[in-house]
Amino acid sequence: MICSLKSSSSAFAATADLLPPKSRMTPTLCFATLRRNSFSPKTPSTSLSSIKPLYLTPLESFGSEKPRGMSVKAKAYEADRSESVAFTDDEARAAAAQKLKISIYFATWWALNVVFNIYNKKVLNAFPYPWLTSTLSLAAGSLIMLLSWAARVTEAPKTDLKFWKALAPVAVAHTIGHVAATVSMSKVAVSFTHIIKSGEPAFSVLVSRFVLGERFPVPVYLSLVPIIGGCALAALTELNFDMTGFMGAMISNLAFVFRNIFSKRGMKVTSVSGMNYYACLSMLSLLILLPFAIGVEGPQLWAAGWHEAISQIGPHFVWWVAAQSVFYHLYNQVSYMSLDEISPLTFSIGNTMKRISVIVSSIIVFRTPVQPINALGAAIAILGTFLYSQAKQ
């Protein structure tokens, strides 16, 4: 007989249940698959490494009086040789493939985000109309996904009115956060915008505590000190400080906190994949943003600004606009796809590392002057963000 042994006590209890009382047993050889580290308190019970057969000596009698001249003993010993199990290798290969997949997601996410921020800043320097720029980003993503569904490259999601109602508050928050961040980057350096946006965890804790009534352990609150202090230090020492740019980044933080809260609720009650969920979010946000963009800036300003940008930059400006629009959708799409594969903690750490890559690359590309005290503030804020993600674990 073959039985699975998870612990010494449970195995012998199971054997006792199977054996009839007061009966003499014939010698039997029992194999049990034994996890190498299953008895170690530090090793989770779900871990599987290698498996050895466990040989049990026969029980001559159980639950009855001991026959004369005979002693009842049960011994167990492991075989000298390990046995390979097919599913263990499959699980190891699957785990390695999953790690590789997540690594590719992260690398792609960071790279696309860096490229977007560079082209977005180039466009805003030549064409300072953030409302239209934000609208074009959402329009490009919506068009890409509509073409993907039409060509059946990606399966179109099955949605209903309930889904769109749940998505509406997410889209409103996403629209506000997107426009506010773009306004911020039109006024200040990319690095400064992302330093301020690294303070998003502080808004997340405050909103969750005072709006949703959630409570957090003390280390979470302590991690907010370097976040707030670092952002304040960076803001006070920023050479090209602008209040509109600063407030845009702060509003973006608050809006994205509400977006994440609404998004988590919405994704729990829907079977739509992360990629399609963001596609629907882009389309609904576009419908919300377009009338406001026309009202705030308008076609006349856009036309005049467009002709001026073309005259100064040349045909390359068209490529910049197309690149920033497409890369905005791609990096957000990859980030939502990552949420399907990783935990919120891992995503938070990845988001912190993304900001570091954006800040460093933008400083190099645009040759942004940075004072040592300003760099110190940025480092403190980012360190606080990392500590926050660890404290929430």
Side-chain angles (χ1 to χ4, degrees), residues 122-335:
K122 285 185 174 183
V123 170
L124 291 171
N125 285 340
F127 185 76
Y129 298 99
W131 288 79
L132 177 60
T133 305
S134 302
T135 304
L136 293 175
S137 300
L138 295 173
S142 301
L143 180 60
I144 290 172
M145 291 309 300
L146 286 173
L147 293 176
S148 298
W149 293 339
R152 296 186 178 180
V153 175
T154 304
E155 184 179 356
K158 297 179 180 179
T159 60
D160 52 18
L161 184 59
K162 183 179 178 181
F163 169 81
W164 291 102
K165 284 184 177 179
L167 188 64
V170 184
V172 171
H174 179 73
T175 304
I176 296 173
H178 176 41
V179 174
T182 309
V183 169
S184 175
M185 283 192 283
S186 70
K187 298 294 184 179
V188 296
V190 175
S191 56
F192 180 70
T193 297
H194 279 273
I195 291 171
I196 301 304
K197 283 179 67 63
S198 65
E200 186 176 321
F203 286 86
S204 178
V205 171
L206 294 176
V207 169
S208 299
R209 176 67 185 89
F210 294 106
V211 177
L212 303 179
E214 295 183 13
R215 294 183 179 274
F216 299 93
V218 175
V220 172
Y221 294 107
L222 293 178
S223 68
L224 301 184
V225 176
I227 294 176
I228 297 173
C231 289
L233 183 61
L236 291 174
T237 57
E238 175 64 23
L239 294 176
N240 300 313
F241 180 83
D242 182 271
M243 183 56 71
T244 302
F246 174 76
M247 290 305 299
M250 296 289 281
I251 293 172
S252 176
N253 279 340
L254 184 60
F256 282 144
V257 165
F258 279 103
R259 181 197 66 175
N260 294 339
I261 292 173
F262 295 141
S263 182
K264 287 178 183 177
R265 291 178 179 177
M267 293 185 76
K268 285 180 180 179
V269 297
T270 182
S271 59
V272 177
S273 66
M275 180 169 59
N276 283 333
Y277 186 88
Y278 180 71
C280 296
L281 177 61
S282 296
M283 295 173 188
L284 190 53
S285 295
L286 176 61
L287 295 177
I288 295 171
L289 176 58
L290 185 58
F292 288 97
I294 295 173
V296 174
E297 294 174 347
Q300 292 183 348
L301 291 177
W302 295 340
W306 185 271
H307 288 302
E308 185 179 353
I310 290 293
S311 63
Q312 291 180 356
I313 307 299
H316 292 294
F317 176 72
V318 179
W319 159 248
W320 291 358
V321 173
Q324 73 92 26
S325 302
V326 171
F327 281 111
Y328 173 80
H329 172 77
L330 292 178
Y331 100 76
N332 276 287
Q333 187 180 77
V334 172
S335 70

